[in-house]
Amino acid sequence: MAVAIVKERWTNKVLEMTIGQEPNAVKVGGDSTLPFLHFEGEMPNRPVVALEVWDMEPDNWPAILTEPFKGVLDNPVAWAKKCADYGADMICLRLNSAHPDQMDATPDEVAATVKAVAEAVSLPLIVVGCGVEEKDALILPAAGEAISGQNALLGCATINNYKTITATCMVHGHNIIATSPLDINLAKQLNILINEMNLPLSRIAMDPLVGALGYGVEYAYSIMERARTGALNGDKMLAIPMICFVGQETWKTKEAKTEDNEEWGAQARRALLWEVLTAASFAQAGGSIFILRHPESLKLFNNNIAAMMKQNS
Amino acid sequence: MPNFSINIIPDHKQVTANEKESLYHAMVVAGIPLKASCGGKGTCSDCKVLVREGKVESLTTGMLTEEEQKQGYMLACQCFAQSNLVVEVPEESKLTEHRIVLSNNPAGGSIAQNGDERIGILEEEPERAGEGPDIPLFKRLFLKVPEPSLDDMEDDIGRVIRVIRKETGVELLRPTLNVLLTLPNILRQAGWKVTVSLAEGKGYKSVEITGVEPGHIEQKYYGLAVDIGTTTVVAKLVDLESGQTVGIKGTYNKQAVYGDDVITRIIHTNEYPDGLRELRKVVVETINELIEDLAKEQRIKQTDIRTVVCAGNTTMTHLFLGLDPTYIRLEPYTPVVNNIPAVRASRAGLNVYPMAWVQCITGVASYMGGDVTAGVLVSGMAFAEELTLFVDIGTNGEMVLGNKEWLISCACSAGPAFEGGGIRHGMRAMRGAIEKVRISPGGAKVTCCTIGNVPPTGICGSGLIDCVAWLYKSGIIDRSGNFVSDVKSPRIRDSAEGKEFVLVWSEKAGRFTDITISEAEIKNLIRSKAAVYAGIRSMLQMVGLPVEAIDRVVIAGGFGRYINIRDAIDIGMFPDIPLEKYSYVGNSSVKGAKLALLSKKARDMLEEIAKKMTYLELSIGNTFMDEFVSALFIPHTDLGLFPTMQKR
Amino acid sequence: MALSGLQIFKQLPKTNCKDCGQATCLAFAMALATGKASLDQCPHVSDAAREVLDSASAPPVALVKIGVGDEQVELGNETVLFRHDKRFEHPCAIAIPVCDTMGDAEIVSKVDAINKLVFDRVGQTHRVDMVLVCACSGSPERFVEAVKLVAGRTAYPLILKSEDPATIEKALEVVAAKKPLVYSANAANYQAMAALAKKFEVPLVVQGAGLDELASLVEKVAELGCKQLILDSGTTELGQVLTDQTQIRRQALKKFRPFGYPTIVFASNEDPFQAVIDAGVYIAKYAGIVVIDSVDPADILPLITLRLNIYTDPQKPIAVESKIYEILTPGPDSPVYLTTNFSLTYFCVAGDIEASRVPGYVLPVDTDGVSVLTGWAAGKFTPEKISEMMNTCGIAGKVSHRKVIIPGGVAVLSGKLQEISGWEVLVGPRDSSGIPSFIKQRWNA
């Protein structure tokens, strides 16, 4: 009995975004079907993975996470090189030192770091602020200027600070991360607002503020599935790649931080699976850019992606 | 405790108060009501007054701005006299009679009639004339009753009933005891020629014979149609023989001093042992004053009003009859009664013919009252092929979608924003209210038109919609309602509550301060419009129809009078369908009540409407919330829903 | 496809008689459409209409029950492709295999380990669901022994895995009363397997090599009278499993009857890490049962957590836990904000406090996840409830002042709240975006 394969007739596809410069540029998006349904449409680019690099030494990472970066945690350039060695597709440089409760670094200070990292590694850069909207509106323009023309991905722009960050991306030729909490409509609204400042949609990546496994995975999961089906059904304002900050969410969970015990098993295995499983679920929901922390997670997740990317009937 | 004398200016009224009684309370008791959306709890800034002479103790300054405090404004509800006083009540603090919703003619006239200026402004549909009463709720008949004989020994009342039945076709008739007490003599003395009075009471199967009088009584008899609104009460005096409206009056609902919205009033009945009685008393008073005014104006006796039909939301009808409204607001939102049987006027407390029946039009749910049933009747949608959307926006937004096959309805708390509530310079649509705004790109030039073409005192709902529409069109705010940071204009400035836009400079306004609208207020308006649109979309979703399926939109309520539909569509409040599909019915609640007075057919239709109307509770599930957030954008997150806006 | 409310309505009597318990026929139709009512509740529906509606309302994925008693596993009744379209109904069951080649002691210790895979999450217990017993020894007698051993050691339903009908029959003679799932009927043995499933009234897995063979086999097995079926498309290759699972669910929703059953998938990747990740993909993407060979809690806990997340009902308002939230490391002088536990409301407030750069505490009062004004209107955000939360959450021990900020929209609560709680009540801005300017002007502890 021949089963007639059901193929959806999608009317639109996700825009393709290029980050970085040839020959090291990374392409994401371009999908014309739901994730990994190769029988139905194209998925020209596999999801890509960036490892996180901080511009100051993290003080609350568990030992299993700092171990692979021993000796480089206080040196963003060396740390970034290490990430490249581990096989990351991109470097995600997080400018935590600018946080007013941390070192309150100035725009010039962080710009210098960004420049140094960009010069040291050839991988495309994602530059993420300190998470304080006001401060990010000050430091990201400086960071964007320091690597002007390098087609990096800057974030995170929110409804409250998107204007200056968008302007920087326009002037210095970067892409932007648009962040909104837990609601597909808010996410779409921000995309529209940024796009209406004349930054092309192909230069916006959507960040649905994912939660870790056990901490609201399902909210972002459904927002992403809705965004992807909306995009494929013709909603241009949602037809852009989605970025998932999986590492930062995973490594603050109890499950990743609790040491070996009988009830929950070994910490290393548990924590790695926590990070990878979180990422793997979001890959199924339509994520294109993943920010992880542990190099082993990177490897495991890449294996999963590779298997998923295999063409099949 | 000493009583102080307080002189209220500019009206020169005298009030007395002791040191434990707030000025607000003293003035309300003395019949000088002030605005107070919070119900006199010191948490809004509506009841501000200026103490010109004397000493007061003031508890808090509530929501007054620094500027207002500097000018000496105080909250009347937080002020306690310590000596004799002279108190000035500014115009904007007074709870005054409303001049809207009373006639088919706009009270204003300041809007230019030429060019495209009036595009989008709807004219109220005229009342359908020429439809005489079929069977009014009260009726007099002049009858010739056949005399009894040995061949025809039927009882007296039986003979009367026989003739009435023949004349009217009414099967079930029932005399009152009073009629029977005097019947034999009247019949015989009048030579079997009598005038009988018939009254129908909702919920009773038989029509009541309430009077048999000798001869042909020519005296006119009237019915009263009342719209008991949360904010305003409107009454129409109707000649039951001709079906003509002979008088119409409207005033604010005196319950307003207990708070702006139904929730605050329900809470009042729970918090004060006497609360329910108080609220009932003042609304009955409100109606009685209208009755008195109408009777005086028409030079009739109040007892000539022989029947009353009220239409109101569920909370209002509960409070009017003294029914416990507590469970209206608590999950799962069940009122005491939706279909209220008729009660005698004497029992309801209305000063008309004491034995007159007073009926309330049947409602559907806690937030879907008889006023909406009446509106649906007036719109004609329940018996039409076309898919109609009925929208009544007052303190709450009530929406009904459907046709002759089905009706679905929902209520959203649009909030009182469109009535000026929660907006510092907001006001109801009355004289001096800015009802139209145009803003040139960048805010260089602002044009405001007021009702009555007088200097502006505030902004009413239609003006607020214009404000949002034109602040967006002129590039001053973005689609989320935030001020665009790089637009510089002296009209955009920082205030204690964030950014604001100056619509009218104080020297041009008839007041001390500039008329402004703040970013927070714009967001409040966007939330209100979003609630309306989300309600509409939730109903459409529930029945699986697209916006384009709507054939006709009927706007009801005072709010709709000045509203520019084009602007309302542009901000994403109403569906983007051709303007010619929109129409305005005015106060459909009182119109429906009037139809019920006059026509049995209308009364049957009202029952049918209430029975078939499905109420959609928006708080269940996520559909509404999802629609709501997507509507928190100008015009909407899904720009495709507003193709007209996109094209321009 | 399922009928819409309006389509159902057209089949109903339209008398609005309320006999079904709903206010109107349309309300009843909408309840039917969303699965909240059953047609039997309408005593007046015509036979013709019943026929139309019954077939339309039959679930696209059959309900299948495995096992008995408290541990019974229910699968199926699924109606959507995406959880946000409504919800996923029956959580994917996790099964762990034991093999009859293992020694008795080894079997016992593995079963015990399976029994111990119980986790507590937000007050609820979550665990694995089934044990698969595999006939690898080739000896029916050994298999029966192993089955007996496992059945005596765990209350979980069993899956009996053998392609030999005689072996299955022997095992069923011992454990049929526990309604185990039989794995599997294939092209070679389906008649015998179907006969066994019928005889012992147990659910049966139909395994086809690919979707085409699976569909024809299901039809044949169904013709033989078996209705409690589970589907296996025969692949263990990750990408192909996703394709097959997606197709089976899509076809089922289009009422292609052979695929109207739950599925079973084996996460049998040789790399144990990858096996867990594969299993995660299957849980997200429509698998009815996932079989994974691991009793390591570090493997199973993430899977069970993912399942819990994916199968959460998305129709419930998203609420945050009602407790003290600390924004930007507040101290004893920091302001205390009250709001409701509707997540969007909470996140707006938290975000705007963060934007103010003044650290603070947020207390979201449990209002069943509704917003401030709705909560106030419905009596869920009352001075009493707020005060109760303030007293029980321990905020008094965290701050040295006694001041609390309430949303401007519910300024009316301030008097009563002050009276009941004894805290000074400050009326904050109506919109949380006003928090930064409010706090700078009005706050001093």
Side-chain angles (χ1 to χ4, degrees), chain B residues 43 329 331 496 527 542 614 622, chain C residues 24 30 314 376 378 380 411 431:
Chain B
T43 53
R329 79 177 182 111
E331 220 172 77
R527 275 197 294 273
M542 198 40 100
T614 301
N622 287 345
Chain C
T24 62
M30 294 187 309
W376 168 70
K380 295 175 177 182
D431 191 288

Side-chain angles (χ1 to χ4, degrees), chain A:
Chain A
M1 180 178 192
V3 175
I5 295 295
V6 184
K7 292 184 188 177
E8 296 290 339
R9 287 196 194 85
W10 305 111
T11 56
N12 192 31
K13 60 180 188 178
V14 179
L15 289 173
E16 191 168 77
M17 173 187 265
T18 307
I19 308 163
Q21 291 167 303
E22 291 302 340
N24 299 307
V26 159
K27 282 191 169 154
V28 293
D31 314 45
S32 59
T33 179
L34 293 172
F36 312 113
L37 297 187
H38 307 293
F39 65 86
E40 184 168 271
E42 299 294 310
M43 195 171 171
N45 302 300
R46 69 173 178 89
V48 297
V49 190
L51 284 179
E52 239 176 80
V53 173
W54 287 26
D55 69 344
M56 57 176 277
E57 189 163 351
D59 56 6
N60 59 352
W61 285 17
I64 49 163
L65 183 55
T66 54
E67 212 278 327
F69 302 108
K70 208 176 257 171
V72 298
L73 286 168
D74 56 353
N75 180 345
V77 169
W79 186 348
K81 282 183 178 161
K82 191 105 187 166
C83 290
D85 294 344
Y86 281 131
D89 298 307
M90 292 194 283
I91 301 297
C92 176
L93 178 58
R94 186 179 284 275
L95 305 175
N96 257 1
S97 70
H99 197 293
D101 295 347
Q102 301 287 345
M103 293 145 78
D104 203 12
T106 64
D108 288 347
E109 285 165 349
V110 300
T113 311
V114 172
K115 195 156 192 260
V117 170
E119 279 166 3
V121 292
S122 57
L123 297 182
L125 269 190
I126 301 173
V127 180
V128 178
C130 63
V132 176
E133 290 169 331
E134 262 175 330
K135 188 69 188 277
D136 285 353
L138 295 174
I139 59 169
L140 287 171
E145 194 182 343
I147 49 168
S148 184
Q150 295 191 23
N151 198 23
L153 178 57
L154 303 190
C156 294
T158 69
I159 189 79
N160 297 318
N161 68 8
Y162 73 93
K163 281 171 192 153
T164 48
I165 302 173
T166 306
T168 300
C169 290
M170 300 272 297
V171 174
H172 296 291
H174 299 301
N175 307 286
I176 198 168
I177 302 169
T179 301
S180 334
L182 280 182
D183 189 285
I184 188 169
N185 289 301
L186 296 178
K188 191 173 156 188
Q189 287 168 12
L190 186 55
N191 298 343
I192 295 172
L193 292 171
I194 292 175
N195 182 231
E196 287 193 341
M197 284 182 72
N198 287 325
L199 189 71
L201 283 167
S202 63
R203 284 167 63 184
I204 308 174
M206 202 173 6
D207 165 21
L209 270 184
V210 302
L213 202 58
Y215 298 85
V217 152
E218 68 272 28
Y219 302 148
Y221 183 90
S222 280
I223 289 168
M224 290 168 72
E225 278 198 330
R226 285 179 67 186
R228 174 53 58 86
T229 47
L232 296 176
N233 278 321
D235 192 333
K236 294 198 160 43
M237 293 300 164
L238 291 171
I240 56 178
M242 292 182 275
I243 183 168
C244 307
F245 288 90
V246 170
Q248 67 176 26
E249 297 304 316
T250 304
W251 291 96
K252 65 184 183 200
T253 64
K254 203 165 61 198
E255 288 79 358
K257 284 180 154 177
T258 305
E259 290 179 1
D260 298 3
N261 68 38
E262 202 187 329
E263 197 198 340
W264 283 1
Q267 181 188 10
R269 189 180 181 97
R270 179 188 344 120
L272 288 178
L273 279 170
W274 217 261
E275 187 166 32
V276 181
L277 215 49
T278 304
S281 343
F282 289 132
Q284 292 299 324
S288 295
I289 307 168
F290 291 84
I291 319 293
L292 303 183
R293 282 189 178 165
H294 203 290
E296 194 59 28
S297 303
L298 168 80
K299 215 175 84 197
L300 290 168
F301 182 48
N302 270 337
N303 288 342
N304 175 255
I305 298 283
M308 294 299 335
M309 286 302 288
K310 251 197 250 163
Q311 296 289 326
N312 47 56
S313 57

Side-chain angles (χ1 to χ4, degrees), chain B residues 367-411:
Chain B
Y367 293 110
M368 193 53 60
D371 51 345
V372 181
T373 315
V376 169
L377 173 74
V378 172
S379 76
M381 65 189 287
F383 303 94
E385 293 281 348
E386 311 101 57
L387 182 65
T388 305
L389 171 67
F390 172 87
V391 184
D392 187 349
I393 295 162
T395 318
N396 252 357
E398 286 126 356
M399 272 102 47
V400 186
L401 180 75
N403 54 25
K404 64 177 191 181
E405 290 220 320
W406 52 269
L407 294 170
I408 182 166
S409 62
C410 70

Side-chain angles (χ1 to χ4, degrees), chain C residues 85-345:
Chain C
D85 282 340
K86 190 170 165 193
R87 71 181 150 267
F88 290 162
E89 299 290 339
H90 288 112
C92 166
I94 296 173
I96 298 174
V98 294
C99 190
D100 68 355
T101 53
M102 291 158 67
D104 284 1
E106 205 183 344
I107 290 178
V108 165
S109 89
K110 188 163 184 186
V111 172
D112 286 351
I114 293 170
N115 285 336
K116 267 176 67 187
L117 292 169
V118 177
F119 306 95
D120 187 71
R121 266 205 97 80
V122 276
Q124 282 176 311
T125 329
H126 298 273
R127 47 179 181 70
V128 296
D129 308 270
M130 300 168 126
V131 179
L132 180 140
V133 190
C134 189
C136 300
S137 65
S139 149
E141 292 70 29
R142 174 62 197 153
F143 182 61
V144 172
E145 269 173 39
V147 167
K148 268 194 204 159
L149 193 57
V150 175
R153 201 81 195 171
T154 185
Y156 293 145
L158 302 187
I159 305 174
L160 309 178
K161 182 170 186 286
S162 167
E163 287 174 6
D164 172 34
T167 305
I168 291 291
E169 183 166 19
K170 285 217 158 59
L172 282 176
E173 278 163 3
V174 182
V175 291
K178 292 195 168 182
K179 300 284 172 231
L181 173 64
V182 172
Y183 187 103
S184 63
N186 56 29
N189 69 10
Y190 74 89
Q191 279 156 323
M193 283 294 193
L196 288 175
K198 247 189 111 177
K199 177 178 167 199
F200 290 99
E201 295 177 330
V202 291
L204 175 67
V205 176
V206 180
Q207 188 198 24
L211 295 179
D212 292 353
E213 189 186 286
L214 178 62
S216 14
L217 272 178
V218 172
E219 283 205 319
K220 288 177 191 155
V221 171
E223 268 168 34
L224 293 171
C226 295
K227 302 283 180 231
Q228 291 276 290
L229 302 179
I230 302 280
L231 310 183
D232 181 355
S233 71
T235 181
T236 54
E237 196 263 311
L238 181 61
Q240 190 62 49
V241 173
L242 175 72
T243 299
D244 289 358
Q245 293 296 311
T246 306
Q247 277 303 324
I248 290 172
R249 176 63 63 85
R250 280 187 183 175
Q251 306 266 9
L253 296 183
K254 288 186 191 296
K255 299 279 170 93
F256 176 66
R257 287 298 174 195
F259 285 173
Y261 301 95
T263 60
I264 186 168
V265 182
F266 289 77
S268 49
N269 200 311
E270 282 166 17
D271 177 339
F273 266 107
Q274 297 299 335
V276 177
I277 302 164
D278 292 357
V281 172
Y282 305 153
I283 286 172
K285 292 293 171 182
Y286 318 126
I289 303 169
V290 165
V291 184
I292 179 161
D293 190 3
S294 168
V295 289
D296 185 344
D299 290 350
I300 302 299
L301 176 62
L303 289 177
I304 281 182
T305 309
L306 178 64
R307 175 179 71 179
L308 172 67
N309 287 165
I310 295 289
Y311 281 85
T312 301
D313 185 354
Q315 301 301 317
K316 297 222 173 86
I318 305 178
V320 296
E321 196 186 336
S322 177
K323 61 168 194 189
I324 300 173
Y325 289 82
E326 304 191 349
I327 314 287
L328 307 166
T329 38
D333 292 340
S334 297
V336 178
Y337 299 85
L338 279 169
T339 186
T340 72
N341 74 333
F342 176 45
S343 67
L344 222 48
T345 305

